[in-house]
Structures are given as C-alpha cells and as structure tokens.
Amino acid sequence: MKFLLLSFILLSVSTFRGICSPLSWHIEEPEESGSGSGDSIWQDITTTPSESGSGSGGIPTTPYESGSGSGSGSGSGDFLWQGITGTPSESASGSGDTLWQGITTTSYESGSGSGSGDTLWQGITTTPSEIWSGSGSGDSPLQGITTTPSLTSTNPEPWIHSINVETTITARYVSTTVITEIENQASVSQDSDFRFRLSKGAFISDFFMVIKGRVYQTVLREKEEAQKAYNEAKRQGLTACQVTQSINDLLKFETSVNLLPNTTATIHLSFQEILRRENGVFQHKINIFPKEVVQSFRADVYITEPQGISFANISWEQDDSLNTDFLYDALTVNRLSDTKVHAWFNPSDEDQEGLSEMGLKGDLVITYDVERDSGAGHIEVVNGYFVHHISPEGLPITPKNVIFVIDISGSMNDQDGANIYGSKIAQTKLAMASIIDQIREFDHFNIICFSDSITRWNTAVVEATSGNKLAAKQFVNGLRADGDADMHGGLMDAIIRLKELEDQNVRNALSMIILLTDGEPTSGITNPSEIVESITKAIDGKIALLSLAFGASADYKLLQKLSGYNQGLARKIYSDSSPSLQLDGFYKEVATPILYNVDVQYPENAVEMDTLTKTNFLSHFEGTEIVIAGKLKDDYEGNKLSAFDVQLEWGLTKTTKSRLDKGGIDILLEPHQVDDFAQRYWAYVTVKELLAQLQLEIALSEEEENSIRDKATDIALKYKFVTPLTSLYCC
C-alpha cells in the first residue's frame, strides 16, 4: 500500500439519476406528482422519477426529459403544442383532438407535425438553449415565433447568502466548522458549486447538507466498504455521494449542488487539524474565496491554551500588494483571560468590494504563542489521555555539522518556464551566499556538488571561520551546471565526511545534510528504492537529512522518503515565487538546533507504553515544538492527582527530570472548546504516524502491513477522520 501523507486533494463524487459525475456531488430533489382535470395542460398526469406517466390524450411523460431540437408546425384545434418537437428519444402520433398530433421525434433531432384549430405556439421554430423572441398574430399567444440565437436567460445565478466559520483551538488542537447558505432565486433548477481549501494535513470529520428541510447526512466507513455501497446505490439509480482522500499537494473540498427553483441549501463542513510551532509562533490560516461578495460573512476563532497565551493577533493576507488597512474595524481580538482569546472577522459588503470585484480572496490568519520556561514542557491530561508539549526556553544553542549537497546537473540551467527570477543554478548561488553568512563560528560545514561526477569544496568538514566562509562563497559563485545527476553518489560522499567527525570524536553536535535537487537521479544508482535503502543504512539514525525539491520536475516522493526515514523533512521550492528567498527562509528554520538526540521517558506504571506516539527525536530546532501523546493506565492513581513525572534526555550527557503540572481540567467543559482534545490529539497523531509507515514503504511483512492498516482504520473510524483508508458516504 502506498500513501502520500503530506499532500492530497479531496474529491466528492455523486450520482445524478444513475450517472456518476467526478469531482462533484450533485443532489437533485425527486420530481413531485400532480393531477388535474378539465381543459388544462397535461391533465391527470402522475409522474415518478425514472418512470413514465400518462394523462389526457395518452401522453407519455418522463421526468427530466424535455423537447429539444427544432421543429415547425401549424394547424388549428383546441389543443396545445400541435406540431411541436416532443420528448427526446420518444415518438408519439395521434389524430383528432389530441396533444402533439402527428409528431415523430428523436433526441436532439427536429420533428414536424400538423394539426388544425386555434392552438398555442403555432408555427414555432425552436433551437435548444435559446430564448424566444419575435412577434406573431392570431388568437393564441406566441404564434409565429422564431427564436434568436445567443440570447441568455434572465434567471439570476445562485448566490451565497451567508458564510459562518467557527474555529476552536484547544492546546493546539483545531476543530473548524464552515456553514454556507446558497440560494437559488430563479424559476428554474440551477447548479451551484461550493469549494473550500483546507490546511495541509487536515482531516475532514463531517459533511452534510440541508435542502428543503431534508438532511443529506454522511457516515464514515472503511474505504472499500464505502465504495461498494456507493457503487450499489449508483446501480439502483439512487442519489448518493462519497467523500474520499487522495494524493495531491493541495487539500481542497469541492461539491456541486443542483438547486430547485426558489430553494436554499445549507452546507456544513467540519475538519480537524493540529497546529505546529514554526519560527516561534503558532499560525492558523483559513482560506476564504467565495468568488462573490457575501451578504453575511463572519469568522470566529476561540483559543484556549492552559499553558498561557503570550500574545495573539488576527490579520488578512492577499496575494497582491493591496493595502488592507481599511479592514481594521472588521478584525478584532478580545483577550478574555491569560489562557483565552476570542478573535473574529466580520467584513461589510463595502469591505469585501474593496478587496476585489469577487469579494474576499485570501487568508484569515491567526497568530499566537504560549508562555514557556526552561523545564521539560507542559502536559495536559483529560479523560485518561495526555498531550505533552516540549519547547524549552533559554537553553544554549547546539553546534551543528552541516553539509550542503547541491545538484549541478544540466537541468539546473533551466528557468522553469516563465520564471522571472533566473535559472535555478543562479537562484541557488544567490541563496547560498546568504546562507553561508548565517553559519555560526562554532559550526562546521562543507559543500558537495553532484552531476555525473562529485565535486567537493573541501575534503573535510571545517570550522566556519570568516576565511572559510569567504572561500566557500567563491566556490559557489563559480559553479556551472552540466551533465547527469548522481544523487546517490553525492549523498554517500556527505555521509562519509560526517562520519569521519565521529571517528575523530568531534560529535558533540547535531550532524545534518541539506540536499537541494531539481530532478530525478540519472547517473550512478538511479532506482529510488535502492537509493532510499542504501542511504538509510549508511546514515544509521545518526544524521538528519533535509531535502529541498527545486521546481516541478524534482522527484518529491523520493525526497520525502529519504527525509522521512532519516529524521528530517522535505520541502518544495516553488519557481513562481522568489526561490532564493525560499531557500534562505528554510535554512533559518533549521539553523538553530536547541536539542539533539532527544529521548523522553515516562513511568511505566503510569502510561500504556504501546499507546505512546514518537518519543525519540534526533533534533529540536529553535522556534519549534516537540509533541507527544499517549494514554494513561486505567488504574493509575496519578490521573486524579496534579503532577506527572517525566524524564527528558538529550545530547550526550544532559538529563532533566521534571514533575510536570497537569493543567486545563477545570476549563475544558466550557463552550467553544474541544472537551476531548487530548484523546483526539492522540488519535490524530497516531493515525498520521501509522499512515507514514505505509507511505515510506518500510520493509514490512504482509501480516505487519495489515496490522498497521487495520489499526489506523479502526482509530480513523472511531474519531471520524477521512483518511486514505476511510471515506464519508451517504445515500
């Protein structure tokens, strides 16, 4: 099984009268039956979806079918639509005083007929998708009408009446619900699209619609079971939907609703995620782009952090350089206490129009941080589950041994299409000049380049003296891109240099490799699985491998696996924004290690050890946070006390043992908070880690792989997470 955890797209698919429509969920209300008597149109007709009805004059009727094509006719008599094109794919004939006399029709073809009498719509020539215009004479309306092409309907488009977003953040666990009302004021049925972009890594947890008082509710099922049920519903011609997770860089939810005339649909979407501390802050973004001015828009964010909130603000971000100072009154932060903040965004119509012709088009950004100290962190225990946050303040910076492994193959000369920032090799040179300046004097570094051969700046990892940094910049400035790409050779050479430091007992530092490449390996060992296996074996858990994928042609999956196996991270460098600034920004994130070789230990008499999320970390960088979750033993008395023993070890000899206060229990039952956040936090992280094991293609037996998949599926079903193993389904 292969799953790409970090990026994916959500698809919502549906049946529309038995026809599957990818990328959208169409819901259409069944037609209603009707009957009548007297000299009326369609007398005594009863209709049922997918069935025919009959009425006066023996008229065959089918819902959703209508006459199309062109036809002409004339005649007299007391009946409607004589000589007019009839129902697609059906034919009808008659004589005397009947409706649609003498008509023979075929779908999308023209038909003609004749009759007699003073009839409605005599002599009409019609063309599909056009409206009527013209003039006529006689005793009936619309006589002698000829249609005019290219005229459009006067029916108004469906519009978004309101959007309400409510987000609760409780000790970094985020739960968001978006409620959208879409109204169709037209006299005909119309499709309306609903789109929402979620944060990367979020799990959808609920989705339903309310249309004309009827609730279309989804339930979470194992993916194969949901697929079978969905297929069976399609086979039976029933309205059905399925919400699944698949692989893509963006996390988007899309659905389409077919609204009957004068109908409103209320769409409810809920999703869960966890905030990660980066660059010293927590940041939550809500992407908003309804593509129109919304009459009633409001977003509320409620933050509860038992650890204490040091600051919080709210802002609006757009891609363009528009000055958004006029939104000042629409953005509000209300600090309720040391641990609680309520922020909201309530723009007027004028505010939205001031941003763009299509209204809101950007991100609502909530930024905050928590109070911290130099201890072993802060722990929250709720209902037998705990979450442990570690982000010590005031510790000395850990030295690092870093080797930059740079791709200088021929493709680095490319500019990635219309990129205005220059070639990739030029951007790399620009970024490296800044990065080299940032290397601290107590760090050691080297630069290794690969094409179809290996080029080293130095034969060893050397101190970051001013002279060495100047020489390194001169080396980088002289680089030329040419040839194939021996990625494996470049990485192996870097591993050898770093292990030489270990042999020389110069290892009281974090060792790391930063790999930059724009393509696939084309020289040396080129098989991705062989590269991952060889590099991981050589690193042996002692080096952090961080990977940067430069441009669209880079093998990002390979880089994710290389970094995932070797306690690093992989990032994309996008060519449509300044690559040199992105490279420089990435280095700033990892330039300051605070802890390395971190091992967090919990008392075995207190914790169910097999429930613990990851407890060993090769590195911890300034501005980030280590998070561990687990379950306490049912008979542990400490669950009722106010403290919790934890031992934190890092580096070669440093150890701290702390008695951590448990907070938050007295405030978690109030409104606007996730009262079971510790348990859901544990479930979220556990599922992510299990899926990562499947994604990385670890050498597992079939039994081990099935066990991991079953465990991840069971947890996802219990906590209602849409994952690659589960789907939301409704019928």
Side-chain angles (χ1 to χ4, degrees):
M1 297 287 294
K2 301 180 182 179
F3 298 105
L4 182 56
L5 178 63
L6 296 181
S7 55
F8 49 85
I9 189 170
L10 292 178
L11 306 181
S12 169
V13 294
S14 72
T15 58
F16 180 72
R17 298 198 50 80
I19 303 174
C20 179
S21 176
L23 294 177
S24 59
W25 176 15
H26 296 270
I27 291 182
E28 179 143 340
E29 296 279 348
E31 291 291 315
E32 300 177 354
S33 62
S35 62
S37 62
D39 296 331
S40 59
I41 303 175
W42 295 359
Q43 296 179 28
D44 300 318
I45 300 173
T46 302
T47 64
T48 306
S50 303
E51 298 180 1
S52 62
S54 62
S56 175
I59 306 167
T61 65
T62 306
Y64 298 101
E65 294 182 346
S66 60
S68 64
S70 62
S72 62
S74 63
S76 62
D78 296 328
F79 291 90
L80 173 68
W81 292 3
Q82 297 185 28
I84 308 300
T85 304
T87 307
S89 303
E90 298 182 357
S91 63
S93 62
S95 60
D97 292 336
T98 60
L99 178 63
W100 296 358
Q101 295 181 31
I103 302 171
T104 301
T105 65
T106 305
S107 179
Y108 300 106
E109 296 183 0
S110 62
S112 62
S114 62
S116 61
D118 296 327
T119 61
L120 176 66
W121 297 0
Q122 295 183 30
I124 300 172
T125 302
T126 65
T127 305
S129 304
E130 297 175 359
I131 65 171
W132 302 306
S133 68
S135 60
S137 61
D139 297 330
S140 302
L142 302 177
Q143 294 185 29
I145 297 174
T146 302
T147 64
T148 305
S150 303
L151 296 179
T152 59
S153 171
T154 58
N155 285 307
E157 295 289 333
W159 64 293
I160 299 175
H161 179 267
S162 67
I163 297 177
N164 287 282
V165 181
E166 181 171 307
T167 293
T168 60
I169 303 174
T170 308
R172 288 71 144 179
Y173 191 85
V174 183
S175 179
T176 299
T177 297
V178 182
I179 302 175
T180 304
E181 289 188 357
I182 303 176
E183 186 174 350
N184 177 22
Q185 295 180 331
S187 58
V188 296
S189 296
Q190 298 190 91
D191 283 343
S192 179
D193 295 330
F194 169 76
R195 299 178 179 87
F196 197 86
R197 182 172 176 175
L198 287 69
S199 303
K200 186 180 293 186
F203 284 148
I204 282 184
S205 56
D206 198 12
F207 173 69
F208 65 93
M209 293 186 183
V210 180
I211 303 175
K212 294 183 69 175
R214 177 179 174 182
V215 178
Y216 295 82
Q217 181 67 60
T218 56
V219 294
L220 191 69
R221 295 188 180 183
E222 188 274 329
K223 193 169 188 176
E224 291 183 3
E225 179 185 352
Q227 187 66 52
K228 289 179 181 177
Y230 173 68
N231 291 340
E232 178 61 21
K234 281 204 308 178
R235 190 188 67 79
Q236 296 181 24
L238 301 175
T239 299
C241 74
Q242 188 178 19
V243 180
T244 65
Q245 174 180 310
S246 60
I247 298 170
N248 199 279
D249 288 338
L250 302 178
L251 182 55
K252 294 188 295 184
F253 182 84
E254 301 181 357
T255 188
S256 182
V257 190
N258 185 272
L259 292 174
L260 292 179
N262 301 307
T263 299
T264 298
T266 304
I267 301 171
H268 296 248
L269 174 67
S270 299
F271 53 94
Q272 320 270 302
E273 59 188 299
I274 287 176
L275 296 185
R276 303 292 185 183
R277 192 167 185 260
E278 296 181 358
N279 299 316
V281 298
F282 298 98
Q283 196 169 81
H284 178 57
K285 291 188 175 184
I286 304 172
N287 183 261
I288 302 167
F289 184 24
K291 297 188 175 182
E292 62 184 86
V293 173
V294 179
Q295 179 178 331
S296 175
F297 178 92
R298 184 178 175 96
D300 289 274
V301 180
Y302 299 90
I303 306 173
T304 300
E305 288 289 354
Q307 194 170 335
I309 300 172
S310 60
F311 80 93
N313 61 51
I314 185 171
S315 60
W316 178 260
E317 291 184 357
Q318 287 197 182
D319 293 337
D320 52 41
S321 57
L322 178 69
N323 187 325
T324 59
D325 289 346
F326 64 88
L327 292 176
Y328 180 81
D329 291 336
L331 295 161
T332 306
V333 176
N334 183 18
R335 189 173 187 116
L336 304 175
S337 69
D338 290 342
T339 60
K340 297 180 183 179
V341 164
H342 175 206
W344 64 89
F345 180 43
N346 188 24
S348 65
D349 292 359
E350 292 76 13
D351 291 334
Q352 298 176 54
E353 291 168 354
L355 292 170
S356 77
E357 293 181 355
M358 293 186 290
L360 301 171
K361 184 182 179 182
D363 294 311
L364 182 63
V365 182
I366 296 86
T367 306
Y368 74 95
D369 198 16
V370 298
E371 300 289 353
R372 295 174 293 124
D373 55 34
S374 59
H378 190 89
I379 199 164
E380 306 294 336
V381 180
V382 181
N383 297 330
Y385 287 82
F386 73 89
V387 180
H388 185 189
H389 302 281
I390 304 171
S391 181
E393 180 82 0
L395 294 180
I397 297 172
T398 297
K400 63 180 179 294
N401 305 318
V402 57
I403 296 182
F404 301 92
V405 178
I406 301 174
D407 184 347
I408 57 168
S409 62
S411 59
M412 288 289 286
N413 283 318
D414 298 340
Q415 295 191 27
D416 259 12
N419 180 18
I420 63 173
Y421 299 99
S423 68
K424 287 176 277 190
I425 190 65
Q427 287 295 305
T428 300
K429 291 179 181 181
L430 186 62
M432 284 301 298
S434 174
I435 289 171
I436 291 170
D437 282 336
Q438 298 174 53
I439 302 175
R440 295 181 175 87
E441 59 183 10
F442 50 75
D443 293 334
H444 289 67
F445 78 109
N446 197 356
I447 301 169
I448 295 174
C449 303
F450 65 90
S451 55
D452 42 22
S453 60
I454 307 302
T455 304
R456 306 176 194 89
W457 165 61
N458 203 302
T459 57
V461 182
V462 300
E463 292 181 60
T465 63
S466 58
N468 283 338
K469 290 199 286 187
L470 177 60
K473 287 195 286 185
Q474 291 172 344
F475 169 78
V476 169
N477 191 51
L479 291 176
R480 298 292 181 268
D482 190 29
D484 292 325
D486 184 5
M487 180 190 299
H488 177 267
L491 289 172
M492 286 299 296
D493 197 79
I495 294 168
I496 292 170
R497 307 300 156 195
L498 289 172
K499 287 201 167 182
E500 286 175 351
L501 293 178
E502 182 180 354
D503 296 338
Q504 299 166 12
N505 295 320
V506 187
R507 198 177 175 276
N508 192 18
L510 171 65
S511 291
M512 55 195 296
I513 295 171
I514 299 179
L515 168 66
L516 171 65
T517 181
D518 76 324
E520 301 176 349
T522 57
S523 180
I525 297 178
T526 59
N527 182 279
S529 297
E530 291 181 23
I531 292 174
V532 172
E533 182 179 357
S534 174
I535 296 301
T536 302
K537 183 177 180 181
I539 285 178
D540 192 25
K542 298 176 180 178
I543 300 170
L545 175 55
L546 302 98
S547 304
L548 295 168
F550 201 150
S553 59
D555 189 343
Y556 189 58
K557 290 183 180 180
L558 170 58
L559 300 186
Q560 282 185 308
K561 291 174 183 176
L562 281 169
S563 294
Y565 271 118
N566 296 291
Q567 302 196 59
L569 54 88
R571 292 278 179 83
K572 287 187 174 182
I573 302 298
Y574 297 95
S575 58
D576 57 355
S577 181
S578 174
S580 63
L581 290 179
Q582 294 176 69
L583 291 168
D584 186 59
F586 173 81
Y587 182 74
K588 284 183 169 67
E589 290 183 40
V590 300
T592 311
I594 300 298
L595 305 175
Y596 73 101
N597 294 336
V598 181
D599 181 29
V600 186
Q601 301 173 14
Y602 300 91
E604 293 187 7
N605 69 318
V607 176
E608 292 186 6
M609 305 306 288
D610 61 347
T611 68
L612 286 172
T613 58
K614 184 179 178 180
T615 59
N616 298 289
F617 306 87
L618 184 58
S619 59
H620 165 61
F621 297 101
E622 184 179 54
T624 64
E625 184 177 66
I626 292 173
V627 183
I628 302 168
K631 185 179 186 300
L632 298 178
K633 289 187 174 179
D634 293 336
D635 58 353
Y636 175 56
E637 291 298 321
N639 191 33
K640 302 175 182 178
L641 302 178
S642 61
F644 194 81
D645 292 325
V646 174
Q647 182 164 304
L648 175 64
E649 299 180 351
W650 73 95
L652 299 179
T653 59
K654 299 176 182 177
T655 302
T656 181
K657 186 173 183 179
S658 297
R659 195 162 182 77
L660 299 176
D661 290 334
K662 301 190 306 180
I665 296 177
D666 60 335
I667 61 173
L668 294 175
L669 299 180
E670 298 182 8
H672 308 305
Q673 293 167 38
V674 185
D675 56 4
D676 60 346
F677 82 91
Q679 189 171 350
R680 297 190 70 82
Y681 200 119
W682 167 82
Y684 181 101
V685 175
T686 300
V687 170
K688 289 286 189 182
E689 290 183 356
L690 292 170
L691 292 175
Q693 293 181 49
L694 298 176
Q695 170 207 339
L696 293 174
E697 297 183 329
I698 298 173
L700 300 170
S701 66
E702 183 177 354
E703 182 179 355
E704 290 172 327
E705 184 177 332
N706 289 336
S707 176
I708 292 173
R709 187 185 301 108
D710 291 344
K711 184 177 180 180
T713 301
D714 290 344
I715 296 174
L717 289 173
K718 181 177 179 179
Y719 294 93
K720 289 197 71 176
F721 295 147
V722 177
T723 72
L725 304 176
T726 54
S727 299
L728 282 174
Y729 164 80
C730 75
C731 182

